[in-house]
Amino acid sequence: MTHATETHTTETRGADSARHPRPLRGLLPYMLEDPVAFTLVVTSGIAFSALLITTSVLGAWLVGAVLTGRTFGDEVPVVWTLAVCAVLTGVATWWQSYISHDWAFRILAGLRVRLYDGLERATPGRILGKRTGDLTASAMADVEKTEMFFAHTAGDYLGAVLVSLASLGVIAALDWRTALVALALMILVAVVPFTLAGRAAAQGRAMRRELGTLNAEALDGVQGLRELVTFGRGDWYLARLVGRTRATAAHGAAYARRSGLEQAATDLLLALGVILVPLTAAHQVRTGDLDPRWLPALIVLALASLRPIATVSATARTLGEVRAAAARVLAIIGYPAQVTDDAAEAPDIVAADVRFEDVRFRYDGAGPDVLDGVDLHVRPGETVALVGRSGAGKTTCANLLLRFWDVASGRVLIGGHDVRDLPLSALRAAVTLVPQEVYLFNLSVRENIRLARPRASDAEVEAAARDAIAHDFIAALPQGYDTPCGERGAQLSGGQRQRIAIARALINNAPVIVLDEAVSSLDTENEKAVQEAVASARTGHTMITIAHRLSTIRAADRVILLDGGRAADTGTHDELLARSDGYRDLMAAQTAGRPR
């Protein structure tokens, strides 16, 4: 089978920072996913604007009728209609607010799911180098900012256009000159935001970017608080945050000045309407072209018809920031997959052996090859230690086996099947990784172990913990298996976190387990406990361990030495020590504690 090479190129990486050409247009498909809800939102916007104008005009008509000698008794039908419209206006106000926000928040929930899908598809290549705080800002603040577009744009814009045009038609039927004045004012009010749209977009991008950076800096400070206190650098970091805050405030001030200018221009146009509309209408009464009874109603109708356009103009002033937030969200949602996942069926993996056949790979498709023709074989049930100097390609081998990246050439096989022929779900079920830096969620110990198999029973969780030599310390915790682990497992020691990670790998029943130097950062006592857990976990599993410590290497059935992007030699620890100069140098450096 021929496989297209998946490379993480500079071009695709640059897509992160590239601006979405039309971010607001990019949000439209999400608006139309539920046509019924969208129709109701638009209808509610039209109903609210129409009822508000109708109520105002009816009140003005009554004033005009009284001023021209009629009594309220003569206008009973109008009075009752006014009362009904006033009640309906209140109902329409509530309905529009409720239905538009409910619809918007459901869209936001969907956006967050798609954003996470984008991050998951692009992991780990595109996420490397990204600041967690900035990604969090996109997942939360940027998505939240788009609520303005969904809740206050869709129904408002269409309602404003339709209601204002209908009002204009009624005004024209009463007096075409007043209609021309109202039309001119409508156009000018609507045009104001668009004249500064380019500046608003640029300011919005700068503000969202600065807010993301500030969020990342704040998160760094919280996560690194112990180090800042230890080295007495709290004031230094506080100064960094103050600097970022001032930069964010400067961008916000520029955005506010431009928005204030738009507001001032709109207010001036509306003030001009308050002058021109009554003068024009009054002139028509004086010349006999307009019945005096219609004068108050015509003035109110003309001015009220400007209100929806002015409301739209007010929301348009915020679209610069909304546009920038939408661009950041859509960029992540649109991340291309790191690797393809188009395998239709999952073949049975009978023998859990692992093979690398002439594997070549380089990150980003540029630079030197990290792997340059690697050939290796790990037999079913065997425990193999991958060793080599830093940069030799040990972790890269694990990444390729898990298909975090795809090989440039050659093949990686598990159970005789090319990993590219397996659905990713099947591959991840067959291979489990226990990383050096274990991440535990702020959930109970039980739920953290069950993460690998959500439907596992409590008995299965406990069995996996016993196999990982973790049951005794878990049982001794204040709430046993229900004890929260704390953020990133902060309530537990490094050795305890590693043993929970091994239990999590075991409960998944994966035939192949990859350990990325599970003991490298542990003290002697915790190292011994984790080594016992690894020894217990070996039974019935093919294990590949990325090893630096001599204790881990000695415990392996076989050692594979990676050097120069190739599998330079293989054998037991004693065999390699006897015949390989490179291996002896590596062991000497490890024993002396020098960088490898």
Side-chain angles (χ1 to χ4, degrees):
M1 180 178 179
T2 302
H3 297 276
T5 300
E6 292 290 324
T7 55
H8 186 48
T9 63
T10 303
E11 178 182 358
T12 58
R13 187 176 62 247
D16 292 7
S17 57
R19 296 193 296 268
H20 193 286
R22 292 180 176 86
L24 296 184
R25 185 179 296 181
L27 295 178
L28 291 179
Y30 302 104
M31 295 170 55
L32 301 176
E33 284 182 338
D34 188 344
V36 174
F38 178 72
T39 301
L40 289 175
V41 168
V42 173
T43 302
S44 70
I46 294 173
F48 167 71
S49 296
L51 284 167
L52 191 63
I53 290 178
T54 301
T55 301
S56 301
V57 170
L58 286 174
W61 163 263
L62 286 176
V63 171
V66 171
L67 290 176
T68 55
R70 296 176 65 86
T71 66
F72 281 109
D74 297 328
E75 302 293 343
V76 170
V78 177
V79 172
W80 278 108
T81 303
L82 175 60
V84 171
C85 285
V87 173
L88 290 178
T89 300
V91 174
T93 302
W94 170 83
W95 186 46
Q96 185 203 25
S97 178
Y98 168 75
I99 197 170
S100 61
H101 284 88
D102 176 69
W103 173 68
F105 290 138
R106 283 190 281 116
I107 294 177
L108 298 192
L111 280 179
R112 286 197 174 94
V113 171
R114 287 178 170 89
L115 186 140
Y116 181 81
D117 286 342
L119 291 173
E120 186 178 36
R121 277 197 312 275
T123 299
R126 191 176 289 272
I127 308 305
L128 291 176
K130 297 291 184 184
R131 302 188 71 179
T132 306
D134 196 19
L135 291 174
T136 302
S138 288
M140 299 305 296
D142 286 338
V143 171
E144 195 68 31
K145 181 57 73 172
T146 63
E147 183 267 342
M148 174 65 71
F149 177 76
F150 294 119
H152 302 287
T153 302
D156 288 353
Y157 275 46
L158 286 174
V161 171
L162 294 176
V163 171
S164 294
L165 288 177
S167 300
L168 197 64
V170 175
I171 296 170
L174 294 172
D175 177 53
W176 63 269
R177 297 173 186 81
T178 305
L180 286 179
V181 172
L183 176 61
L185 290 170
M186 286 180 188
I187 293 174
L188 290 174
V189 170
V191 164
V192 168
F194 294 99
T195 59
L196 297 174
R199 183 183 298 179
Q203 291 174 339
R205 286 192 298 270
M207 190 155 64
R208 299 312 298 180
R209 183 173 58 249
E210 198 64 45
L211 281 170
T213 303
L214 177 60
N215 193 72
E217 291 283 358
L219 185 60
D220 276 354
V222 172
Q223 292 180 339
L225 192 58
R226 181 182 60 183
E227 285 72 17
L228 292 174
V229 171
T230 299
F231 295 104
R233 298 287 283 168
D235 290 343
W236 165 77
Y237 205 84
L238 183 61
R240 283 173 60 92
L241 285 179
V242 169
R244 284 295 182 190
T245 302
R246 287 173 177 168
T248 303
H251 286 296
Y255 192 89
R257 285 194 296 272
R258 188 266 316 152
S259 180
L261 179 61
E262 292 185 28
Q263 177 70 61
T266 300
D267 288 346
L268 285 173
L269 289 171
L270 293 176
L272 184 62
V274 171
I275 297 172
L276 293 180
V277 167
L279 288 177
T280 304
H283 177 73
Q284 300 310 111
V285 170
R286 189 172 56 199
T287 60
D289 294 328
L290 179 67
D291 189 329
R293 287 185 301 171
W294 283 102
L295 178 61
L298 182 61
I299 293 173
V300 169
L301 179 60
L303 295 177
S305 67
L306 294 175
R307 181 188 174 280
I309 301 296
T311 301
V312 166
S313 179
T315 60
R317 288 196 295 274
T318 69
L319 290 185
E321 194 177 358
V322 173
R323 187 180 288 109
R328 284 162 55 93
V329 171
L330 292 172
I332 295 176
I333 290 176
Y335 278 166
Q338 183 69 33
V339 295
T340 58
D341 184 19
D342 52 10
E345 297 182 1
D348 292 332
I349 298 176
V350 179
D353 65 322
V354 174
R355 287 183 182 272
F356 280 60
E357 296 181 349
D358 193 26
V359 170
R360 287 176 167 78
F361 178 77
R362 65 179 62 179
Y363 288 98
D364 297 330
D369 286 336
V370 179
L371 301 181
D372 185 18
V374 167
D375 288 289
L376 60 86
H377 181 211
V378 182
R379 294 181 288 272
E382 187 179 26
T383 297
V384 168
L386 295 182
V387 303
R389 297 182 183 278
S390 179
K394 304 182 294 297
T395 299
T396 298
C397 287
N399 288 337
L400 295 178
L401 176 60
L402 286 157
R403 277 201 82 197
F404 290 153
W405 282 272
D406 271 341
V407 299
S409 64
R411 297 194 303 169
V412 178
L413 302 101
I414 177 171
H417 301 282
D418 193 314
V419 294
R420 292 170 294 186
D421 293 337
L422 299 173
L424 285 177
S425 59
L427 176 62
R428 305 287 159 78
V431 183
T432 296
L433 173 68
V434 179
Q436 180 178 350
E437 295 293 331
V438 175
Y439 191 97
L440 298 182
F441 291 89
N442 190 23
L443 301 170
S444 69
V445 173
R446 189 190 316 278
E447 291 306 311
N448 270 286
I449 295 175
R450 194 179 270 146
L451 182 69
R453 191 154 63 92
R455 296 183 179 179
S457 67
D458 288 350
E460 289 172 321
V461 170
E462 183 175 327
R466 289 184 183 277
D467 290 341
I469 320 298
H471 173 74
D472 288 345
F473 88 77
I474 294 173
L477 293 173
Q479 301 174 51
Y481 281 84
D482 294 319
T483 302
C485 291
E487 188 175 8
R488 303 180 69 90
Q491 302 296 331
L492 306 173
S493 70
Q496 290 172 336
R497 289 195 295 270
Q498 286 289 357
R499 280 179 279 169
I500 288 176
I502 292 172
R504 190 159 62 189
L506 292 176
I507 204 172
N508 194 34
N509 292 326
V512 178
I513 298 178
V514 179
L515 295 99
D516 189 355
E517 190 48 270
V519 300
S520 64
S521 60
L522 303 181
D523 57 32
T524 303
E525 181 180 353
N526 276 313
E527 177 185 351
K528 182 180 179 181
V530 173
Q531 289 288 11
E532 291 176 0
V534 171
S536 174
R538 287 174 61 171
T539 305
H541 294 90
T542 301
M543 299 190 72
I544 300 173
T545 177
I546 297 168
H548 294 123
R549 287 201 177 181
L550 187 58
S551 58
T552 305
I553 297 170
R554 284 182 178 274
D557 299 323
R558 189 159 52 93
V559 180
I560 297 176
L561 173 64
L562 296 179
D563 188 27
R566 296 174 177 269
D569 206 346
T570 183
T572 66
H573 168 70
D574 292 336
E575 289 170 348
L576 291 181
L577 205 57
R579 70 169 180 252
S580 172
D581 292 338
Y583 188 76
R584 283 194 294 270
D585 289 343
L586 185 67
M587 291 300 100
Q590 194 272 345
T591 303
R594 299 199 308 268
R596 297 177 290 279

